[in-house]
């Protein structure tokens, strides 16, 4: 089998793509996998680091505020379409898999025009424009939320969930030992705050605004600042022994295990991790995403009593008090944990590979 996997731009697209690739390798050891991403985006480093070959397209996103800049975007899109057609012609994949992100549009469009079966992996409750446009000619659309038949042909939808990193659910250390391993007091509540690899300004501002409140309440905070805000946040955390700030958290499995509550953005990948791990969460959706999809992701959990949400504009004033209130109410945490665990869809990567196998087999079978 030859599989082409396209997309990226953020960890929320790259981690599922790599999970699917790894599951394909486990199932089909001889599979040949080629990634196609966007030049100068994080997949161009993360994918080779994981041992896979990747080609970059010069594609970029549309600027919705400064429309005059889109002449350059259209030029890059035209160049990307030409390169995508050449990649399909030369690699000759049996299937093309799109995980979302700038590169998946031109790449899967080129595959569809050449008659290559395509599979879409839509992480969010509210799909992006690219996947909506590609859906009509896709062989299957793997989703993680109910209700996506509003956007996609119902007959093509497969409820698989979002693939998550295997090491997260494999961590079996006790919560007390996890806290100790990270340098925290196992007898005090611990809030894990994550803002993504680059960081989230509002999330960081909310922690900084609440430092005195956390200290007064005796609540520990593990603060992942992201690299853009690391210097300022590390300085703010100095002299506050209950706070540990760092640009990155290398061992997310232990960090999740240690946390009594997770405060984070509401990206689909993060939510899938929280569901599978059954972690109580306080979500602060990013307002800077297409179609406000993070708020819709979070609302889907809130409606089922599976998470608490604070809007971005309210977070600096409200986050600390709300988080402290939650960790001081064991019954509230237990309820959130039980409800979010009910939403978990396990083994998403294996279910997606099942569907890939079906599609490739059907495409190779003689037509009746």
């Amino acid at each position: 089998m030859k599989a082409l996997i396209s997309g990226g731009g953020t960890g929320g697209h790259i981690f599922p793509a790599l999970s699917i690739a790894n599951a394909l390798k486990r199932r089909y050891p001889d599979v040949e996998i080629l990634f196609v991403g966007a030049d100068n985006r994080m997949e161009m480093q993360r994918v080779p680091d994981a041992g896979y070959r990747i080609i970059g397209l010069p594609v970029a996103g549309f600027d919705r505020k400064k429309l005059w800049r889109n002449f350059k975007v259209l030029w890059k899109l035209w160049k990307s379409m030409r390169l995508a057609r050449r990649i399909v012609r030369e690699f000759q994949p049996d299937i093309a898999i799109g995980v979302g992100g700038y590169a998946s549009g031109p790449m899967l469009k080129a595959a569809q025009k050449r008659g290559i079966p395509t599979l879409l992996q839509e992480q969010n409750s509210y799909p992006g424009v690219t996947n909506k446009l590609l859906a009509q000619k896709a062989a299957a659309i793997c989703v993680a939320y109910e209700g996506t038949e509003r956007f996609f042909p119902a007959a093509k939808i497969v409820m698989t969930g979002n693939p998550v990193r295997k090491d997260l659910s494999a961590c079996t250390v006790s919560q007390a030992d996890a806290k100790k391993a990270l340098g925290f007091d196992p007898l005090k509540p611990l809030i894990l705050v994550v803002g993504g690899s680059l960081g989230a300004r509002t999330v960081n501002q909310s922690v900084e605004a609440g430092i005195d409140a956390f200290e007064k309440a005796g609540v520990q905070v593990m603060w992942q600042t992201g690299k853009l805000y690391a210097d300022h946040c590390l300085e703010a955390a100095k002299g506050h022994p209950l706070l540990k700030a760092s640009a990155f958290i290398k061992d997310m499995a232990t960090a999740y295990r240690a946390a009594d509550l997770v405060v984070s953005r509401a990206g689909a990948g993060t939510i899938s991790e929280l569901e599978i791990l059954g972690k109580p969460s306080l979500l602060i959706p990013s307002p800077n995403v297409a179609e406000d999809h993070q708020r819709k992701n979070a609302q889907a959990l809130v409606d089922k009593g599976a998470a608490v949400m604070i809007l971005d504009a309210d977070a600096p004033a409200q986050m600390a008090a709300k988080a402290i209130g939650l960790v001081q109410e064991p019954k509230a945490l237990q309820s959130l944990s039980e409800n979010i665990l009910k939403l978990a869809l396990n083994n998403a990567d294996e279910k997606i590979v099942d569907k890939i196998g079906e599609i490739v087999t059907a495409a190779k079978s003689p037509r009746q």
Side-chain angles (χ1 to χ4, degrees):
M1 186 192 298
K2 296 176 84 172
L4 190 152
I5 302 177
S6 184
T10 67
H13 295 310
I14 296 165
F15 289 132
L18 290 172
S19 293
I20 293 168
N22 293 337
L24 274 169
K25 277 281 189 188
R26 290 194 299 272
R27 186 84 59 90
Y28 306 102
D30 295 331
V31 67
E32 188 178 346
I33 297 172
L34 174 65
F35 278 81
V36 179
D39 277 340
N40 302 315
R41 302 291 288 190
M42 62 191 294
E43 59 264 28
M44 299 308 294
Q45 179 182 342
R46 295 289 179 88
V47 170
D49 286 351
Y52 294 101
R53 184 162 69 98
I54 187 168
I55 297 172
L57 301 181
V59 67
F62 280 91
D63 191 324
R64 290 175 168 84
K65 294 178 181 177
K66 297 175 181 175
L67 296 177
W68 56 270
R69 289 186 174 178
N70 290 320
F71 288 110
K72 191 173 183 180
V73 173
L74 289 169
W75 169 246
K76 288 183 175 182
L77 179 61
W78 180 79
K79 286 175 69 179
S80 296
M81 288 298 299
R82 286 190 66 191
L83 182 53
R85 286 195 292 269
R86 194 173 85 200
I87 290 168
V88 171
R89 189 170 62 247
E90 293 177 356
F91 184 62
Q92 296 187 346
D94 295 300
I95 188 166
I97 302 150
V99 297
Y102 298 142
S104 65
M107 201 62 249
L108 265 74
K109 191 74 176 170
Q112 289 178 345
K113 283 189 173 182
R114 219 172 152 82
I116 307 295
T118 57
L119 178 143
L120 306 180
Q121 200 268 317
E122 175 54 63
Q123 293 103 22
N124 293 294
S125 58
Y126 194 92
V129 174
T130 300
N131 275 354
K132 286 186 203 170
L133 293 173
L134 293 167
Q136 290 300 323
K137 293 186 178 179
I141 305 147
C142 296
V143 302
Y145 290 90
E146 296 171 354
T148 51
E149 61 274 2
R150 290 177 294 155
F151 314 104
F152 300 136
K156 296 181 178 184
I157 294 172
V158 186
M159 180 68 79
T160 59
N162 287 325
V164 302
R165 294 168 281 183
K166 290 286 186 190
D167 63 309
L168 298 182
S169 51
C171 182
T172 57
V173 65
S174 72
Q175 186 178 45
D177 286 344
K179 286 181 180 179
K180 283 182 193 173
L182 297 168
F184 291 99
D185 184 339
L187 300 178
K188 290 180 180 176
L190 174 64
I191 297 171
L192 169 64
V193 181
V194 288
S197 56
L198 296 179
R201 177 184 291 148
T202 305
V203 175
N204 287 331
Q205 289 172 341
S206 303
V207 177
E208 189 174 356
I211 288 175
D212 290 340
F214 290 128
E215 295 231 307
K216 187 176 180 182
V219 172
Q220 304 173 112
V221 179
M222 186 174 188
W223 183 10
Q224 185 260 320
T225 68
K227 68 178 183 180
L228 293 182
Y229 307 96
D231 291 344
H232 175 83
C233 295
L234 266 62
E235 188 63 32
K238 278 184 181 176
H240 300 285
L242 294 182
L243 265 76
K244 291 186 188 296
S246 60
F248 302 102
I249 296 174
K250 289 183 180 177
D251 187 356
M252 275 303 297
T254 302
Y256 271 135
R257 189 73 175 158
D260 294 284
L261 177 74
V262 179
V263 176
S264 78
R265 288 302 202 191
T270 298
I271 286 179
S272 294
E273 292 173 356
L274 295 170
E275 288 173 346
I276 284 170
L277 299 174
K279 299 306 295 187
S281 60
L282 175 57
L283 302 173
I284 305 171
S286 171
N288 308 311
V289 293
E291 284 93 24
D292 200 19
H293 69 252
Q294 284 205 8
R295 186 179 62 80
K296 296 180 175 82
N297 290 348
Q299 191 64 52
L301 269 63
V302 171
D303 290 344
K304 296 184 178 179
V308 176
M309 174 171 64
I310 295 179
L311 295 182
D312 189 83
D314 301 326
Q318 298 180 11
M319 187 278 277
K322 179 67 77 173
I324 290 166
L326 285 169
V327 295
Q328 291 177 338
E329 287 288 338
K331 286 185 179 178
L333 292 180
Q334 182 67 22
S335 176
L336 289 171
S337 179
E338 289 172 357
N339 290 338
I340 199 169
L341 202 52
K342 291 174 188 173
L343 303 178
L345 293 168
N346 290 292
N347 302 315
D349 53 354
E350 298 294 339
K351 292 172 187 171
I352 292 168
V353 171
D354 288 343
K355 196 64 192 175
I356 291 169
E358 285 177 27
I359 293 168
V360 172
T361 300
K364 289 185 173 182
S365 297
R367 297 189 184 276
Q368 299 296 319

